[in-house]
Amino acid sequence: MSGTPRSRPKGTQDFVPPDSGRMLHVEDVFRRLAELGGYQEIVTPTFEHTDVFVKSSGEDSDIVTKEMYSFKDRGERDLTLRPEGTPGVVRAVIENRLRVPCRLYYVGPFFRYGRPQKGRFREFYQVGVEALGEASPLVDADIIYLGTEFFRSLGISDCTVQVNSIGCRECRPAHREALRKFLLDRKGRLCADCHVRLERNPLRVFDCKVEDCRAAVQDAPTPRQYLCKACERHHEQVLSALSRRGLLHEANDRLVRGLDYYNRTTFEYISASLGAQDSLGGGGRYDYLVGDFGGPDTPGIGVAIGLERTMLAAPVAPAPARRHLAFVVWLTDAELGAAQDLADRLRADGVPVQVDYDARKVKGQFKSADAAQAACCIIIGPDELAKGVYSLKDLATGEQREVSSDAVSEAVRALFRD
Ligand code: HAM
């Protein structure tokens, strides 16, 4: 099946102005919070060897079994467009021998072949942080808090945080066995996928969206009931660090998250305004992942937040009627050089400027200024050139006045409202 060159592929989006600007703003808010927490940006490839995901996200996870964009390149290598960020970051930390503890953040596109719907896309953007080499439960709480600060900064007020612990390699086998027995008794009610999950990784049955399977696990033994002493203590410390900050959180014993690498803390941010795809973001601890990738034993924890869902949940501030942009308007060819010089000078002063070189007539230049939603026009004609001044026209009010060459940057800035 091939699409037309005039339409974008299913499940993808164009971000056109002003939405593209909104998205950048959301990214900037995240970058600032991450940097305040000591995180530095990491940029990893948008595709990796397929095994990077199979060996981490998990062979039985929905992401790996159903949602990966995998392909062979012309050299017969098995590659996959990254469905999530954590495995690539862990691979990069090991490959580049970064010193731990290290705190990293990322912003970028990810790809999952799911059924597109509100808040679910085949290409989507995530912002995320990964802290490697830190085992303290206070780091778990810090990261959970970072996410809530991000949503709060964007005016999202209906976000709740669900927290759980799924234990460690010590306590998990006992839970796994109890769960397997419990599910075997109800095998007839489980879907075909869950029959496989039951044999390979019964915890994954908790992720199943099929109504009968959800009902079947309603009273199933949960990982929390099987936590060893060390995990129980870790979890209590996470919860009390959240409470100390006044961060309201809900316990969700069934929150196992759909990826295999987690241990101990798992958490998710839920927004009631999103409908079926209500998870704004989520994360958890992955103390075994670096070791599983062949690196030195190193604890890790991180979070990723979906930008599209964040933008859906965040209130939209009314876009300013006019952009922070000035248009230099020249009357005759004799002023063209002066127009270019003025544009260069204003840009050097940090004032965004455009000049329409194509419209030979003033009227056409004003039309372009209006189409660009510029805040003002700075007009240079023979009179202005002779007097060494500019005429500054406020496009919102229509008022026009003369400004001296020295005062032009300030005068333009004063017209950039909100
Ligand atoms: P995740 O829960 O798979 O976790 O994804 C995190 C967030 O990405 C989701 O809550 C959602 O907002 C967004 N998201 C996921 N899939 C889609 C989609 N198809 N369309 C739109 N948004 C989507 C992870 O990715 C883990 N790597 C998080 C993590 C980081 N764990 C530890 N460190």
Side-chain angles (χ1 to χ4, degrees):
M1 250 191 307
S2 67
T4 99
R6 289 165 54 125
S7 62
R8 55 182 185 267
K10 194 172 169 185
T12 63
Q13 290 198 98
D14 297 315
F15 289 94
V16 297
D19 263 3
S20 49
R22 228 185 126 216
M23 186 170 179
L24 274 185
H25 168 69
V26 172
E27 286 181 16
D28 283 349
V29 169
F30 182 80
R31 279 176 203 278
R32 189 164 172 280
L33 282 174
E35 295 204 356
L36 285 173
Y39 294 86
Q40 292 177 286
E41 183 157 10
I42 181 167
V43 180
T44 62
T46 40
F47 57 87
E48 298 271 355
H49 293 293
T50 297
D51 263 0
V52 168
F53 305 111
V54 175
K55 300 247 181 295
S56 56
S57 313
E59 265 165 310
D60 306 311
S61 65
D62 274 0
I63 288 186
V64 169
T65 53
K66 299 181 187 158
E67 298 182 350
M68 292 208 306
Y69 278 93
S70 298
F71 56 98
K72 272 198 197 295
D73 74 0
R74 289 168 197 270
E76 293 293 300
R77 296 172 194 90
D78 286 313
L79 300 171
T80 292
L81 296 184
R82 59 183 187 184
E84 55 141 338
T86 313
V89 169
V90 167
R91 193 257 324 125
V93 166
I94 299 171
E95 188 166 349
N96 293 282
R97 300 209 170 104
L98 296 192
R99 282 176 54 194
V100 295
C102 77
R103 293 186 162 198
L104 301 164
Y105 77 86
Y106 48 89
V107 173
F110 293 84
F111 309 87
R112 293 185 195 177
Y113 189 85
R115 192 170 55 80
Q117 53 186 287
K118 181 183 165 196
R120 183 148 123 193
F121 303 96
R122 290 184 174 169
E123 181 184 36
F124 59 98
Y125 286 77
Q126 278 187 350
V127 293
V129 303
E130 310 293 346
L132 286 135
E134 296 183 79
S136 167
L138 301 184
V139 179
D140 306 25
D142 270 9
I143 287 187
I144 295 173
Y145 186 66
L146 189 151
T148 59
E149 277 297 285
F150 173 64
F151 298 127
R152 196 187 54 77
S153 308
L154 294 168
I156 299 176
S157 52
D158 71 339
C159 166
T160 52
V161 192
Q162 298 189 346
V163 190
N164 192 23
S165 173
I166 57 168
C168 66
R169 283 187 176 159
E170 297 297 312
C171 45
R172 273 220 293 247
H175 170 251
R176 187 190 161 104
E177 205 31 49
L179 180 61
R180 211 177 65 82
K181 280 206 184 104
F182 177 92
L183 293 172
L184 265 179
D185 289 344
R186 291 155 182 81
K187 198 170 172 184
R189 289 162 62 188
L190 300 179
C191 72
D193 280 352
C194 280
H195 283 186
V196 180
R197 291 175 179 133
L198 177 57
E199 291 315 316
R200 297 167 63 112
N201 187 352
L203 204 61
R204 292 275 73 88
V205 177
F206 280 109
D207 300 331
C208 189
K209 307 282 181 296
V210 176
E211 213 37 66
D212 281 350
C213 301
R214 288 174 90 108
V217 293
Q218 203 52 42
D219 305 310
T222 65
R224 274 226 60 191
Q225 294 163 337
Y226 285 79
L227 293 187
C228 62
K229 280 224 165 63
C231 286
E232 188 61 56
R233 181 157 166 67
H234 186 99
H235 192 54
E236 276 165 10
Q237 285 176 303
V238 175
L239 297 184
S240 72
L242 294 177
S243 302
R244 207 183 54 73
R245 284 182 157 124
L247 203 161
L248 293 178
H249 49 271
E250 285 171 13
N252 178 354
D253 288 6
R254 262 160 257 282
L255 183 69
V256 298
R257 305 216 355 104
L259 299 155
D260 273 4
Y261 48 68
Y262 292 121
N263 69 300
R264 292 196 168 162
T265 310
T266 53
F267 59 94
E268 218 158 270
Y269 305 97
I270 307 289
S271 163
S273 64
L274 286 179
Q277 302 302 314
D278 61 357
S279 161
L280 282 168
R285 208 163 246 294
Y286 47 87
D287 295 333
Y288 308 117
L289 189 55
V290 178
D292 288 347
F293 268 43
D297 274 347
T298 309
I301 174 158
V303 62
I305 295 167
L307 279 195
E308 291 81 358
R309 293 185 195 175
T310 301
M311 284 168 64
L312 278 170
V316 183
R322 300 257 158 206
R323 286 167 63 202
H324 291 187
L325 176 72
F327 240 79
V328 176
V329 172
W330 46 282
L331 298 200
T332 71
D333 282 355
E335 294 88 42
L336 199 45
Q340 285 173 292
D341 292 346
L342 175 61
D344 288 347
R345 189 152 67 82
L346 287 169
R347 286 175 188 143
D349 269 359
V351 176
V353 187
Q354 239 174 282
V355 188
D356 183 345
Y357 297 120
D358 284 333
R360 310 302 300 175
K361 299 227 168 77
V362 173
K363 203 172 156 200
Q365 294 181 51
F366 270 102
K367 263 194 174 167
S368 302
D370 208 45
Q373 293 173 298
C376 60
C377 284
I378 312 164
I379 304 146
I380 319 178
D383 290 352
E384 281 86 0
L385 208 56
K387 282 163 66 181
V389 294
Y390 304 111
S391 295
L392 178 63
K393 181 167 184 172
D394 181 340
L395 292 178
T397 63
E399 276 166 34
Q400 187 168 320
R401 66 187 174 95
E402 272 186 6
V403 290
S404 71
S405 168
D406 290 345
V408 66
S409 293
E410 270 326 293
V412 166
R413 269 206 196 91
L415 298 181
F416 290 166
R417 295 172 177 87
D418 43 62

